[in-house]
Amino acid sequence: MIYIYQLIASFFASAGFGILFNAPRRALISCGATGAVGWIAFYLFQEGGTDAVLASYMGALFLTAVSLFNSRRMKMPVIIFITCGIIPLVPGGTAYEAMRHVVMNRYIEAQEYAFQAALVSGAIALGIISTEMADQVFRTVKNKFGRKGA
């Protein structure tokens, strides 16, 4: 049952940010679905015992794949779906804790939180780049070898 709550919350968070970012109306459902897929992938990997960094990477892989699919299906820029879909994965709570510990002069704890936020953010960026690069390679190979058989 918790998975359904997680799915619904991440869907509405992503779709809500789609509204905030002025995404086209016809893309809002897909934006929400993209965020939900990315968050559920993250959540399932983390529940399976994976650390937050690798789980964030996997969530970013899934959400970018869904974003690429949606952008082609709806003939819209992929950035619309990635920007909205990434919202549930962003380590805002960890960054907040880092800043809170800085204000309280607890610099050791602040460093730990800041480093964790940086690692998760890097993993998200790497997940997006990895999926887009793999897609480009796949499409290039498909176009190059697909034409010889024709």
Side-chain angles (χ1 to χ4, degrees):
M1 194 66 170
I2 190 75
Y3 298 115
I4 294 171
Y5 293 135
Q6 295 281 331
L7 190 74
I8 291 169
S10 59
F11 175 88
F12 282 113
S14 296
F17 270 89
I19 293 168
L20 198 64
F21 294 152
N22 289 324
R25 282 186 190 216
R26 65 186 183 100
L28 290 177
I29 301 293
S30 297
C31 288
T34 300
V37 167
W39 178 256
I40 286 299
F42 166 81
Y43 188 75
L44 291 175
F45 276 97
Q46 200 166 33
E47 287 292 307
T50 307
D51 70 326
V53 176
L54 184 57
S56 295
Y57 175 76
M58 296 307 292
L61 283 178
F62 280 91
L63 85 85
T64 306
V66 172
S67 295
L68 289 167
F69 172 78
N70 284 334
S71 73
R72 290 190 185 112
R73 182 177 59 90
M74 300 183 82
K75 296 179 178 27
M76 294 181 163
V78 70
I79 195 73
I80 293 171
F81 302 102
I82 289 177
T83 304
C84 297
I86 206 163
I87 294 301
L89 293 180
V90 172
T94 309
Y96 168 80
E97 287 297 324
M99 287 297 102
R100 189 170 73 86
H101 282 84
V102 167
V103 170
M104 295 176 6
N105 294 327
R106 295 183 185 167
Y107 298 116
I108 302 298
E109 292 94 342
Q111 280 182 324
E112 292 172 8
Y113 282 113
F115 189 67
Q116 181 70 17
L119 285 176
V120 169
S121 298
I124 292 168
L126 192 62
I128 292 169
I129 292 168
S130 300
T131 308
E132 288 191 0
M133 286 178 57
D135 180 65
Q136 279 298 119
V137 169
F138 175 75
R139 291 170 64 77
T140 302
V141 169
K142 181 181 168 188
N143 288 339
K144 185 169 184 145
F145 293 113
R147 292 184 182 164
K148 286 186 178 182

